[in-house]
């Protein structure tokens, strides 16, 4: 086995549910009419919230200036686990004092999955902050978008350059289960079979 050789390598981005959290960034009502592929962002975010429940992942949700931009869309409201922080913010990054406190209460979390908007603003700045703090960041490309697809595309390139892993929601779900013997396999595989709206481009 190549264990010794692999020890010095950077992470290859494997996921395990016991060390992973789901972040839902600013999927709010006011953005519905202006974000490219907004139905796909909502659909992926809802699927990941349901997967998080099945896989027992902690969830953190933020809302950008909800007084003006509205709350998290109704389609997601019923799937946010009870007790999960839903944090109002004015900062672009999700890494507010309240979110930092939520992470401190989750010492086992080393990796994050992120969905939401906008890719080139709040998702980007959140990911850079978390990478800088030593977290492994997985951006789910079927669940992030911006008003303009050009901004989204460049942001995804920038995220990859910075060390974030780009993945799809289905990739992440199956990585965390590893085996068909996983107790959540039936529930999660059913999520993957559901009909989806038009999907966002991969990059």
């Amino acid at each position: 086995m190549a264990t010794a050789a692999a020890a010095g390598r950077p992470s290859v981005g494997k996921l395990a549910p016991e060390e992973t959290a789901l972040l839902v960034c600013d999927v709010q009502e006011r953005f519905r009419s202006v974000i490219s592929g907004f139905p796909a962002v909502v659909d992926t975010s809802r699927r990941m919230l349901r997967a998080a429940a099945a896989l027992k992942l902690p969830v953190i949700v933020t809302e950008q200036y909800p007084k003006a931009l509205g709350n998290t869309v109704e389609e997601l409201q019923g799937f946010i686990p009870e007790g999960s922080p839903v944090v109002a913010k004015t900062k672009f990054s999700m890494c507010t004092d309240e979110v930092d406190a939520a992470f401190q209460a989750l010492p086992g979390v080393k990796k994050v999955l992120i969905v939401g908007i906008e890719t080139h603003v709040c998702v980007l700045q959140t990911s850079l902050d978390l990478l800088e703090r030593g977290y492994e960041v997985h951006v789910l490309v079927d669940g992030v978008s911006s008003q303009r697809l050009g901004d989204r595309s460049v942001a995804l390139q920038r995220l990859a350059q910075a060390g974030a892993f780009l993945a799809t929601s289905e990739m992440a779900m199956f990585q965390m289960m590893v085996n068909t013997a996983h107790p959540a396999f039936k529930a999660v595989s059913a999520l993957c079979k559901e009909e989806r709206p038009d999907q966002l481009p991969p990059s």
Side-chain angles (χ1 to χ4, degrees), residues 15-183:
L15 290 165
E18 62 271 14
E19 57 183 16
T20 304
L22 173 66
L23 306 188
V24 181
C25 182
D26 307 350
V27 185
Q28 292 162 255
E29 191 58 46
R30 187 62 65 87
F31 295 120
R32 188 182 294 274
S33 62
V34 296
I35 295 295
S36 296
F38 191 81
V41 173
V42 171
D43 179 71
T44 299
S45 299
R46 183 173 55 220
R47 184 176 302 105
M48 288 308 303
L49 283 166
R50 292 159 71 195
L55 295 166
K56 299 179 172 59
L57 308 185
V59 173
I60 299 172
V61 180
T62 58
E63 297 175 342
Q64 180 72 20
Y65 195 48
K67 187 183 296 186
L69 300 175
N71 296 111
T72 300
V73 295
E74 186 177 349
E75 297 96 316
L76 303 186
Q77 293 275 1
F79 298 104
I80 299 170
E82 187 175 351
S84 299
V86 179
V87 177
K89 65 184 179 70
T90 56
K91 186 177 181 179
F92 295 125
S93 172
M94 292 179 75
C95 295
T96 64
D97 290 344
E98 296 93 331
V99 171
D100 287 345
F103 272 114
Q104 287 168 15
L106 298 167
V109 168
K110 300 175 176 60
K111 307 179 183 195
V112 299
L113 310 173
I114 185 167
V115 294
I117 53 183
E118 289 186 72
T119 318
H120 66 296
V121 185
C122 298
V123 171
L124 175 71
Q125 292 186 35
T126 300
S127 298
L128 296 180
D129 283 347
L130 292 172
L131 286 165
E132 198 169 47
R133 296 173 191 190
Y135 289 94
E136 186 175 287
V137 175
H138 296 250
V139 178
L140 304 186
V141 298
D142 53 336
V144 296
S145 196
S146 300
Q147 291 187 55
R148 289 169 289 277
L149 289 176
D151 285 327
R152 177 183 180 272
S153 178
V154 173
L156 291 174
Q157 294 175 54
R158 176 74 176 83
L159 284 158
Q161 289 169 345
F165 290 99
L166 304 184
T168 66
S169 57
E170 193 163 319
M171 285 170 63
M173 287 187 280
F174 279 98
Q175 269 196 66
M176 287 186 287
M177 290 189 295
V178 177
N179 194 312
T180 57
H182 192 286

Side-chain angles (χ1 to χ4, degrees), residues 37 39-40 196-200:
R196 305 183 191 189
D198 291 341
Q199 295 296 287
L200 289 155

